[in-house]
Amino acid sequence: MTVAIVGAGAAGAAIAYALRDADADVTVFEKSRGVCGRAATRRKEGCRYDYGANYVKDDDERVTRLLTEELDTNGLVEVEEPVWTFDSAGEISPGRDSDERKWTYEDGITQLAKRLFAATDATVQRETRVETVAREEGRWSLADAADTVLGSFDTVVLTPPAPQTAELLAAMAWDDDRRVAAHDAVAAVDYASVFTAVLHYPFTLDRSWYALIDTDGEHPVGWLAREELKPGHVPEGESLLVAQMGHDWSGDRIDDDRDQVLREAVGHVAELLDDDRFAAPDWTDRQGWRYALPDGGVTGDAHRSTEDAGLYFAGDWVAGEARVHAALRNGFAVGERIVEARNAKTY
Ligand SMILES: Cc1cc2nc3c(=O)[nH]c(=O)nc-3n(C[C@H](O)[C@H](O)[C@H](O)COP(=O)(O)OP(=O)(O)OC[C@H]3O[C@@H](n4cnc5c(N)ncnc54)[C@H](O)[C@@H]3O)c2cc1C
């Protein structure tokens, strides 16, 4: 069986992992240079920081077992300090009772996909954007923007965020009602945008929280976290704040000049912390996530009707929850269905 997975995020990595003993020839196509998608890590000036997903939660038993038992646990770290809250007026209060565990890796959250792929024989082709998918003689043919054929496969799984998957479905050469129905269902999934501001300071921050979350959803800042509380991420004596700006605020600015948006974000962070020192980070980084978080997930089962033809969908938007553990769980489930379908044909 030949399987193509489009996207090397958490869902794509979990599918490859679920197929590792299935006698399947798996190729993963990823448009960017790295793996793990929106669970993303960068390095700069001796720091490492998770600037997309902050951590993986222990909300799913299968995922917890994966992280704490199946994959190499070397460098797996927990953030133990609490999450506090603030309201639209910027009033900070001690937190949200929660005993959830929050994991990342010393080398960053991208280790998750790296370790999943390392446990498989899958071929991961980075910097390869799949532009077209065509049904030809009962198989799936994939090509890039230059029309170079990337291969022909029995099964293909699309894991990009729903709007990008909908584009692939719209352009797909497959004259079938199931494609149209799947396209309409996938295209209907809405997304929130998030602007991420990363702010470094050459001094420590004396507070007892790991992160602050806006409980009203009306403040310009949605979430503010201290990356230095993740072991191995920030050298001693320094602070690195990761501000995920609010959905409305970010959505209104997603096409604006990124440096200008960053300057505004820095001002809001300094105001929230009520300390002018935070208005002057010594270095910064930023990312505008147009398709950051699906608002719920795909509804109905039109996206499942294509599975008979070997076309599958996976990701947080299929799971219906914008979380890494949900994308992983969905990837495992899709991988298992691919194996079952193959076995049903074989026997
Ligand atoms: C700012 C932010 C903060 C978040 N915080 C948290 C958090 O704290 N905890 C948590 O659990 N979750 C969090 N999330 C959500 C979490 O990141 C996602 O739910 C999860 O990473 C989704 O994984 P996925 O595999 O479904 O999709 P993705 O990670 O988006 O993976 C899809 C992959 O497909 C690739 N791709 C797209 N189009 C193509 C193409 N045409 N060809 C080839 N490759 C393609 C993309 O480059 C990407 O790598 C956050 C997300 C954001 C953006």
Side-chain angles (χ1 to χ4, degrees):
M1 170 173 59
T2 50
V3 180
I5 301 171
V6 180
I15 297 162
Y17 187 78
L19 294 174
R20 70 196 182 286
D21 296 324
D23 194 19
D25 190 352
V26 178
T27 309
V28 185
F29 299 102
E30 168 54 53
K31 72 176 165 69
S32 54
R33 268 183 300 168
V35 297
C36 222
R38 280 171 280 152
T41 309
R42 264 188 208 141
R43 285 163 188 255
K44 186 169 172 176
E45 308 268 345
C47 296
R48 284 189 190 95
Y49 45 98
D50 300 324
Y51 64 99
N54 307 283
Y55 50 77
V56 189
K57 284 202 292 189
D58 65 346
D59 260 12
D60 184 281
E61 253 180 59
R62 175 75 187 84
V63 172
T64 298
R65 202 167 66 240
L66 176 80
L67 265 75
T68 60
E69 294 174 32
E70 288 175 38
L71 295 178
D72 182 3
T73 54
N74 198 15
L76 178 71
V77 290
E78 272 189 57
V79 185
E80 295 184 350
E81 289 76 2
V83 176
W84 285 19
T85 61
F86 61 97
D87 61 16
S88 54
E91 185 73 30
I92 296 173
S93 323
R96 246 188 15 168
D97 276 343
S98 161
D99 54 5
E100 70 187 14
R101 299 174 75 185
K102 306 188 270 295
W103 286 296
T104 182
Y105 290 90
E106 277 179 19
D107 282 343
I109 199 166
T110 48
Q111 282 294 312
L112 181 55
K114 288 180 183 163
R115 290 176 192 211
L116 283 165
F117 285 127
T120 76
D121 291 329
T123 303
V124 183
Q125 291 195 19
R126 297 161 200 237
E127 297 185 82
T128 308
R129 177 194 285 267
V130 173
E131 197 80 15
T132 54
V133 179
R135 186 80 172 148
E136 285 168 3
E137 297 171 5
R139 291 173 66 78
W140 296 102
S141 177
L142 272 53
D144 65 13
D147 252 357
T148 305
V149 175
L150 299 168
S152 167
F153 303 88
D154 303 309
T155 299
V156 60
V157 194
L158 304 181
T159 77
Q164 293 166 336
T165 292
E167 278 173 28
L168 286 169
L169 279 163
M172 186 178 281
W174 183 33
D175 186 14
D176 193 293
D177 289 347
R178 288 172 290 179
R179 178 188 67 81
V180 178
H183 169 269
D184 292 351
V186 175
V189 180
D190 282 332
Y191 273 71
S193 297
V194 172
F195 184 88
T196 301
V198 178
L199 318 178
H200 180 270
Y201 304 91
F203 53 82
T204 53
L205 173 57
D206 183 22
R207 314 272 164 126
S208 26
W209 43 265
Y210 152 63
L212 300 174
I213 187 165
D214 171 21
T215 43
D216 298 343
E218 285 172 12
H219 196 280
V221 181
W223 164 271
L224 183 66
R226 299 169 60 201
E227 200 65 15
E228 67 270 18
L229 294 182
K230 293 177 177 172
H233 281 224
V234 179
E236 200 71 19
E238 305 176 16
S239 310
L240 191 65
L241 295 175
V242 175
Q244 313 283 14
M245 302 304 286
H247 298 176
D248 291 345
W249 193 94
S250 300
D252 288 345
R253 291 163 179 77
I254 202 70
D255 292 316
D256 292 358
D257 177 74
R258 297 272 155 101
D259 291 327
Q260 174 56 32
V261 178
L262 178 69
R263 277 193 290 278
E264 275 188 61
V266 172
H268 289 300
V269 168
E271 198 181 324
L272 178 63
L273 295 179
D274 197 18
D275 186 336
D276 282 347
R277 290 179 306 158
F278 292 97
D282 63 346
W283 60 260
T284 57
D285 193 4
R286 79 272 196 287
Q287 175 80 21
W289 302 94
R290 183 179 300 279
Y291 304 123
L293 305 166
D295 188 7
V298 63
T299 54
D301 54 12
H303 66 290
R304 294 284 302 270
S305 67
T306 58
E307 292 186 2
D308 281 350
L311 173 61
Y312 293 76
F313 304 95
D316 57 352
W317 59 274
V318 182
E321 193 183 355
R323 290 280 167 252
V324 175
H325 67 264
L328 289 169
R329 182 178 55 214
N330 183 248
F332 290 141
V334 168
E336 281 154 20
R337 288 209 299 280
I338 292 171
V339 175
E340 276 163 26
R342 196 273 311 268
N343 290 346
K345 275 188 195 146
T346 312
Y347 300 110

